[in-house]
């Protein structure tokens, strides 16, 4: 028993965490990573979006005993700090008092997870790009420094991200593989905001900053050293788009008109704009994720999503937690474990993919609308008055790991329909805090259930 | 001028026809086909669905001068001959008097097109499986009898079908490639119905036979030799499905209960059932189809669709016709030709893909409903009374090549909504032929436009 050789492709966040979980169950685990070791080498710069670690991810980290260590290198963000088009500011809390999400550097977290995996006895191999899988002989091939290598596995996990090579090997040899990849019409570009004197924060530290501008937006998340990682989400093509901003003058002019308060914060704005790559954002949905008792996709490789709900990593970590729970339940019966894993997780992965696309609209456009901000205020108040009967969708996804993503999506649609009605009521702006209003909304909800 | 070397992957229907068109424009054209030469070798048997050649395909064949020759080996089908669950029969004409579709053997048509292509000077290479494309050097690699070959091209067309290897090479090296493949939950199995004494037809010859049974159906198309190519479209899984029919007894029993009139026609039914493979049905949508001035997908490789509207080949032939029209217009400006080709054809390809899926529901289920048959009768009558103001959706797609698929889809949605309303009217069963009813429907249509 427990003599299975497990190979994981990808030493990213999910691959590293999964390795720790499986090692703890007693398996021999090797990771093969296409890139070099980011703990020793410079990584691709200029295309990171900071991570927002929240309760689902924390739950998984807690299960392997490193939640506290990770939270020490994280910065709490209690809500959205909105930089409105008219120059005013607004603050929208993420949840109740004491609820927050955590800005974490991808690199720091990934290095921490790799270190821990190695300490647990996981073997990490870098510079190994998967070139194919032979599903009959259970062997995986790699290109490693120009030469071809082959490894045998009993169990293979594809944790190799949105552009997964193992998924491709799976897809190309599958009879009826459901697959879709869809790129949203916006790309993104990192724009780093430096620290002030003595490592001070030039924007409010404990918030996620958003400059909502309709069909595009800028966001910024804090780092420990006082800098902010800014990201511009912006159309590739059209009137106002990357394809139009081709000169230094155009960039200067655009930022001065659209994000005037950002300009003094980023002295090398134009340099960064042209130096940093423009990256694209893809949603991948596929099925099945697994092959018999010997292969599963996991994390982004199974369900790449856009970053607008801050749930990509959290969903991947939750995958690991759910899988570990199934191992607890079914021991070495990997056929059952993998089958149940995909049955449980596929609807949740589809749901968070849709929620994430939906949240882009909310962030870039609706947060600039006073009526929308009022709606969120009413919902927060309802949640305080009736904590179990009204949980705002954001809170369900972010702070309620006991609610499945698929449930959260259904609840969101129901609650949003009710709130649309409520927001039409004459006088709602002034009388929303009345007891009877809350009572009526709660009763609409129970009728809709 | 006209010195471009054109390579086409795939010697199927679309690849062969495209080669003829391009050769006539003066280009050197080579085709590379993965399979052997079907004119000399046995082809995979037992998985063909007969083709229904209709006006869009005929238009293209006419443009290269072979429509009449092809129609000579075709059998006109004037409508659907419905074998109802209660044992009765119904006939539903496809269009007006004199309008029909044509049952053609895929093999015969493909051989005819290959012969013609060769006579025109196209070089056909068989047993060449595309293994990759280098988009920088414009070279395509093949595996041919165990050895690797490389060919240079100026212009490459991927006409290599639903599982296109050139599409994969395109996709894997594209920054933002939109892609989805979706399998319907039904597979299909060929079941051949032999000819009667002296090559006679045991079913009505000039019709497409359908046994509609709710979520599955059997169809049969006539061949010149008196046989019918039957195809069972049937769920893979579930209560009544391929996974349940695993024994000879189960098959015998199922056919006796469900298709009793078919049983005496197919003496070796059970043998065929277990000998013939169960094939799957995929829809592929992707974008972009083209790369600069040097590559385009075409036909199924660009837009694989399910067979239920009989438009897969017709759409592919129309692709060739549209492309040839653009060559007429833009000469050797292939950058413009390919760009306009995909802009023109992508919406039409998406539309016929959706129409085809929709028609599966119509064929397998609605054709068993008397109310639906009445609706079609009313629409046919409206079409006769007002030939320009009411063209049934089927006629728009099948007999009206001047109407784009995308237009036909929009018109269908509008007309179907009107007919849903009309069919609710009390007494419609008896008074539909009144002048005023027609006038009212036509006016609803003009208001909706």
């Amino acid at each position: 028993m427990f003599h299975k050789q497990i190979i994981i492709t990808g030493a990213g966040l999910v691959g590293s965490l999964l390795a720790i979980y499986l090692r703890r169950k007693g398996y021999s685990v090797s990771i093969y990573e296409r890139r070099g070791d980011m703990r020793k080498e410079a990584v691709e710069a200029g295309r990171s979006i900071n991570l927002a670690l929240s309760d689902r991810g924390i739950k998984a980290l807690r299960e392997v005993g490193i939640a506290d260590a990770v939270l020490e290198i994280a910065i709490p963000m209690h809500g959205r700090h909105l930089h409105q088009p008219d120059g005013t500011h607004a603050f929208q809390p993420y949840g109740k008092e004491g609820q927050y999400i955590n800005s974490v550097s991808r690199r720091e977290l990934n290095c921490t997870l790799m270190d821990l995996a190695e300490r647990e006895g996981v073997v990490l191999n870098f510079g190994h790009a998967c070139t194919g899988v032979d599903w009959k002989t259970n062997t995986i091939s790699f290109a490693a420094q120009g030469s071809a290598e082959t490894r045998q596995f009993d169990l293979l996990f594809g944790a190799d991200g949105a552009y997964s090579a193992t998924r491709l090997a799976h897809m190309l040899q599958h009879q009826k593989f459901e697959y879709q990849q869809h790129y949203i019409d916006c790309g993104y570009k990192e724009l780093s905001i430096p620290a002030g004197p003595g490592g001070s924060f030039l924007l409010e530290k404990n918030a996620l900053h958003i400059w909502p501008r309709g069909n595009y937006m800028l966001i910024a998340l804090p780092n420990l050293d006082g800098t902010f990682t800014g990201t511009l989400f912006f159309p590739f093509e059209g009137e106002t788009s990357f394809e139009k901003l081709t000169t230094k003058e155009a960039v200067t002019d655009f930022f001065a008109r659209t994000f005037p308060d950002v300009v003094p914060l980023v002295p090398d704005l134009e340099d960064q704009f042209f130096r940093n790559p423009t990256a694209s954002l893809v949603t991948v949905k596929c099925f099945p994720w697994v092959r018999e008792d010997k292969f599963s996709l996991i994390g982004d490789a199974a369900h790449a999503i856009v970053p607008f709900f801050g749930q990509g990593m959290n969903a991947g970590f939750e995958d690991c937690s759910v899988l570990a729970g199934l191992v607890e339940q079914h021991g070495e019966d990997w056929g059952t474990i993998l089958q149940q894993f995909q049955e449980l997780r596929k609807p949740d992965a589809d749901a968070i993919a849709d929620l994430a696309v939906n949240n882009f609209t909310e962030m870039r456009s609706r947060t600039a609308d006073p009526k929308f901000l009022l709606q969120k205020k009413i919902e927060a108040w309802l949640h305080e008055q009736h904590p179990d009967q009204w949980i705002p969708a954001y809170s369900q996804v972010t702070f309620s790991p006991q609610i499945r993503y698929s449930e959260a999506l259904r609840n969101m649609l129901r609650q949003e329909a009710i709130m649309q009605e409520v927001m039409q009521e004459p006088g709602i702006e002034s009388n929303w805090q009345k007891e009877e209003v809350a009572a009526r909304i709660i009763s609409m909800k129970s009728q809709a259930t």
Side-chain angles (χ1 to χ4, degrees), chain A:
Chain A
M1 291 290 267
F2 294 99
H3 288 329
K4 275 191 191 298
Q5 293 291 328
I6 298 183
I7 288 181
I8 298 172
T9 53
L13 298 164
V14 171
S16 302
L17 180 64
L18 177 63
I20 297 166
Y21 268 111
L22 293 171
R23 191 76 198 95
R24 297 255 173 102
K25 301 280 182 200
Y27 291 100
S28 352
V29 182
S30 307
I31 296 182
Y32 289 83
E33 162 63 43
R34 182 171 63 82
R35 296 195 180 85
D37 188 346
M38 66 162 72
R39 295 169 299 178
K40 296 171 190 158
E41 301 166 23
V43 287
E44 280 179 286
R47 56 186 302 165
S48 64
I49 307 172
N50 264 36
L51 300 168
L53 176 65
S54 58
D55 288 27
R56 291 172 203 268
I58 294 170
K59 174 170 179 281
L61 293 179
R62 210 169 286 295
E63 286 169 3
V64 298
I66 56 167
D68 292 332
V70 170
L71 289 172
E72 256 170 50
I73 55 166
I75 298 178
M77 299 183 290
H78 297 277
R80 295 168 172 165
H81 182 117
L82 302 164
H83 302 251
Q84 303 295 20
D86 64 4
T88 62
H89 293 235
F91 182 75
Q92 192 192 29
Y94 276 129
K96 290 187 292 195
E97 188 75 36
Q99 287 184 323
Y100 52 83
I101 62 176
N102 303 278
S103 176
V104 186
S105 140
R106 173 181 292 270
R107 187 197 165 91
E108 294 237 27
L109 179 51
N110 208 148
C111 292
T112 302
L113 288 169
M114 286 192 214
D115 283 343
L116 182 58
E118 261 178 354
R119 274 208 305 279
E120 299 277 338
V122 173
V123 181
L124 279 90
N125 306 274
F126 295 93
H128 280 69
C130 166
T131 52
V133 181
D134 185 328
W135 301 107
K136 291 197 191 73
T137 58
N138 295 350
T139 49
I140 178 166
S141 315
F142 299 99
Q145 290 158 336
S147 70
E149 293 183 17
T150 298
R151 294 285 179 278
Q152 188 96 25
F153 59 82
D154 297 308
L155 182 51
L156 174 68
F157 286 96
D160 44 355
Y163 300 95
S164 171
T166 51
R167 186 181 64 221
L168 182 65
H170 176 49
M171 174 173 176
L172 291 178
Q173 292 165 70
H174 201 282
Q175 275 297 305
K176 291 186 293 165
F177 190 65
E178 290 293 309
Y179 183 78
Q180 51 178 289
Q181 60 185 41
H182 170 65
Y183 290 84
I184 61 168
D185 55 6
C186 279
Y188 71 91
K189 192 183 278 286
E190 184 186 317
L191 297 168
S192 177
I193 300 173
S200 61
F201 291 85
L202 294 179
L203 296 165
E204 158 62 34
K205 174 184 175 186
N206 293 110
L208 190 153
H209 294 264
I210 309 181
W211 290 256
R213 294 296 183 267
N215 72 335
Y216 60 93
M217 68 175 175
L218 179 69
I219 68 169
L221 282 79
N223 298 307
L224 286 176
D225 61 2
T227 64
F228 284 83
T229 303
T231 313
L232 176 68
F233 295 96
F234 201 54
F236 283 107
E237 290 167 19
E239 193 70 34
T240 305
S241 69
F242 281 119
E243 74 166 0
K244 289 289 157 63
L245 297 185
T246 53
T247 64
K248 197 167 170 306
E249 292 65 37
V251 172
T252 308
D253 179 60
F254 169 72
F255 274 82
R257 275 186 296 108
T258 322
F259 307 114
D261 55 338
V262 176
V263 174
L265 302 179
V266 191
D268 62 341
L269 179 66
E270 294 82 1
D271 285 353
Q272 286 198 49
F273 193 91
F274 292 110
R275 191 176 63 234
N276 291 340
T278 303
S280 55
L281 294 163
V282 70
T283 299
V284 174
K285 292 181 179 176
C286 67
F287 198 81
W289 296 351
V290 313
R291 239 168 220 268
E292 305 158 35
D293 59 350
K294 60 184 177 192
F295 173 67
S296 183
L297 295 166
I298 191 165
D300 282 358
H303 48 73
I305 65 178
V306 294
F308 306 108
F309 222 122
Q311 287 293 320
M313 168 185 67
N314 291 292
F317 283 4
E318 197 176 53
D319 282 351
C320 298
S321 171
V322 168
L323 187 78
L326 290 167
V327 174
E328 205 60 56
Q329 214 177 318
H330 300 288
E332 285 244 284
D333 180 2
W334 279 97
T336 302
I337 293 167
L338 297 184
Q339 198 52 47
Q340 293 200 4
F341 174 64
Q342 75 174 353
E343 274 172 31
L344 270 172
R345 290 302 282 171
K346 172 66 175 165
D348 289 333
D350 285 348
I352 192 61
D354 296 345
L355 283 161
V357 167
N358 182 69
N359 224 42
F360 186 29
T361 314
E362 175 164 326
M363 287 175 81
R364 68 181 170 172
S365 147
R366 298 187 74 196
T367 54
D369 173 7
K371 194 108 190 194
F372 174 75
L373 298 182
L374 173 63
Q375 179 187 324
K376 291 285 147 170
K377 211 181 261 178
I378 298 176
E379 290 196 61
W381 176 76
L382 281 169
H383 186 36
E384 268 179 37
Q385 302 294 308
H386 305 271
D388 298 327
Q389 281 142 295
W390 193 280
I391 310 174
Y394 188 90
S395 296
Q396 297 193 28
V397 169
T398 309
F399 304 121
S400 314
Q402 75 285 3
I403 299 177
R404 293 177 58 174
Y405 286 133
S406 48
E407 257 179 276
L409 174 59
R410 279 194 298 274
N411 294 339
M412 184 200 78
L413 294 171
R414 212 155 53 205
Q415 294 187 168
E416 187 60 28
I418 291 170
M419 289 310 295
Q420 289 296 321
E421 230 175 281
V422 170
M423 297 307 291
Q424 301 296 323
E425 294 178 12
I428 188 68
E429 293 82 354
S430 47
N431 64 18
W432 59 271
Q433 267 181 315
K434 288 193 182 143
E435 186 72 34
E436 75 214 46
V437 174
R440 193 155 39 76
I441 298 176
I442 297 297
S443 104
M444 285 164 86
K445 167 114 196 260
S446 61
Q447 278 160 31
T449 306

